[in-house]
């Protein structure tokens, strides 16, 4: 069965902290994505990666960076967390067939 | 040009009724249009998808209608059930990534 695992379901951090969100997929997919989900705004793409060590900016990359050192793992990094980054973060992976498989999400609160 | 506009934001339907969610896009280069369903506490999951060379696709109670000239597509849920209560997202693909609509929260009342 397809599985995308996000390391934390809930996370509370303080303003200015460096935050790491981890995502692991077990399907040997080339493509991985990070989105944030906010009410009324849908899913907005932050970064994506087509291969190991590759990254592409999505629609809202400001304040975020990513790392993909291994095919199965894609990390989202908030260099200095701010309150406007309080959100639900979703990781997804896909093959060329374009079906994206999502993790359950990490709800991040920045205080 | 890269936006997908989805409406309504929320929808309440009686059990057995038809739920209709609409999406519109501007970029004619979009070549794949999926719908995702998300239950509370879960990530979105692919529900049904269509490519622009067909005008309709049906899978069980779920149908996508696609109007290429109007650049619109919609999801119809026939005989809506309380178990269909969820958030629905339309999306469109340009160049290997997906652009999602704003989402519609559907509540089906028993």
């Amino acid at each position: 069965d397809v599985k995308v695992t996000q390391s934390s379901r809930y996370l509370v951090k303080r303003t200015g902290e460096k935050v790491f969100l981890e995502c692991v997929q077990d399907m040997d997919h080339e493509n991985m994505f990070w989105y944030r989900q906010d009410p009324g705004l849908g899913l907005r793409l932050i970064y994506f990666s087509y291969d190991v060590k590759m990254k592409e900016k999505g629609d809202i990359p400001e304040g975020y960076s990513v790392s993909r050192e291994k095919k199965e793992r894609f990390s989202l990094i908030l260099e200095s967390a701010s309150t406007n980054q309080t959100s639900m973060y979703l990781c997804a992976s896909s093959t060329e067939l374009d079906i994206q498989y999502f993790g359950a999400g990490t709800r991040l609160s920045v205080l | 040009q890269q936006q997908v506009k989805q409406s309504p934001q929320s929808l309440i339907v009686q059990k057995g009724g038809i739920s209709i969610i609409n999406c519109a896009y501007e970029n004619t280069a979009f070549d794949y249009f999926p719908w995702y369903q998300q239950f509370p506490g879960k990530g979105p999951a692919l529900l049904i998808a269509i490519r622009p060379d067909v005008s309709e696709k049906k899978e069980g109670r779920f149908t996508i209608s696609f109007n290429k000239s109007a650049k619109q597509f919609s999801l119809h849920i026939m005989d809506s059930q309380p178990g269909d209560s969820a958030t629905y997202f339309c999306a469109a693909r340009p160049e290997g990534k997906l652009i999602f609509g704003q989402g519609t929260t559907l509540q089906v009342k028993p």
Side-chain angles (χ1 to χ4, degrees):
Chain A
D1 200 14
V2 166
K3 199 164 185 182
V4 178
T5 302
Q6 295 185 230
S7 54
S8 305
R9 292 300 304 272
Y10 301 95
L11 214 50
V12 180
K13 296 292 181 181
R14 296 217 173 265
T15 302
E17 279 193 76
K18 191 169 185 176
V19 180
F20 292 87
L21 302 183
E22 306 286 343
C23 176
V24 178
Q25 51 99 358
D26 65 356
M27 298 162 284
D28 200 36
H29 286 169
E30 292 80 17
N31 309 318
M32 295 189 74
F33 307 84
W34 275 106
Y35 296 89
R36 64 177 282 176
Q37 180 177 2
D38 300 289
L41 297 177
L43 278 66
R44 292 180 292 165
L45 182 63
I46 304 171
Y47 268 96
F48 59 106
S49 169
Y50 288 135
D51 202 350
V52 175
K53 297 194 185 294
M54 273 197 55
K55 60 184 179 183
E56 297 279 346
K57 290 181 180 180
D59 300 316
I60 52 165
E62 297 79 17
Y64 304 94
S65 62
V66 290
S67 173
R68 193 166 181 201
E69 295 295 320
K70 293 185 177 181
K71 190 175 186 180
E72 67 271 18
R73 187 180 298 269
F74 193 34
S75 302
L76 180 69
I77 303 157
L78 287 66
E79 295 289 343
S80 177
S82 64
T83 55
N84 63 13
Q85 292 178 310
T86 291
S87 186
M88 171 69 84
Y89 290 88
L90 290 164
C91 174
S93 70
S94 77
T95 66
E96 294 80 14
L97 295 178
D98 287 311
I99 300 174
Q100 291 195 14
Y101 297 91
F102 284 83
T106 296
R107 186 166 294 281
L108 173 66
S109 295
V110 182
L111 306 178
Chain B
Q1 272 213 328
Q2 291 287 81
Q3 285 187 338
V4 177
K5 295 182 180 179
Q6 183 173 346
S7 63
Q9 188 170 350
S10 63
L11 184 60
I12 300 174
V13 173
Q14 292 293 326
K15 179 182 174 182
I18 302 173
S19 304
I20 302 174
I21 305 170
N22 300 299
C23 286
Y25 64 98
E26 294 181 357
N27 190 335
T28 56
F30 292 166
D31 61 357
Y32 171 72
F33 301 87
W35 285 88
Y36 280 76
Q37 179 188 53
Q38 183 182 31
F39 293 107
K42 304 286 188 182
L46 179 68
L47 180 64
I48 187 173
I50 197 168
R51 299 194 187 274
D53 52 347
V54 297
S55 60
E56 186 175 282
K57 183 172 182 180
K58 185 175 181 179
E59 291 184 1
R61 297 184 292 109
F62 300 90
T63 300
I64 300 178
S65 296
F66 187 82
N67 186 329
K68 191 173 181 179
S69 60
K71 290 184 279 187
Q72 295 175 346
F73 58 111
S74 59
L75 176 69
H76 296 238
I77 307 174
M78 310 301 287
D79 187 26
S80 299
Q81 299 296 312
D84 297 330
S85 297
T87 300
Y88 293 81
F89 294 96
C90 63
R93 179 182 71 177
E95 301 170 340
K97 61 181 184 180
L98 292 178
I99 296 173
F100 285 86
Q102 294 76 17
T104 297
T105 301
L106 171 65
Q107 181 185 357
V108 181
K109 289 194 167 182

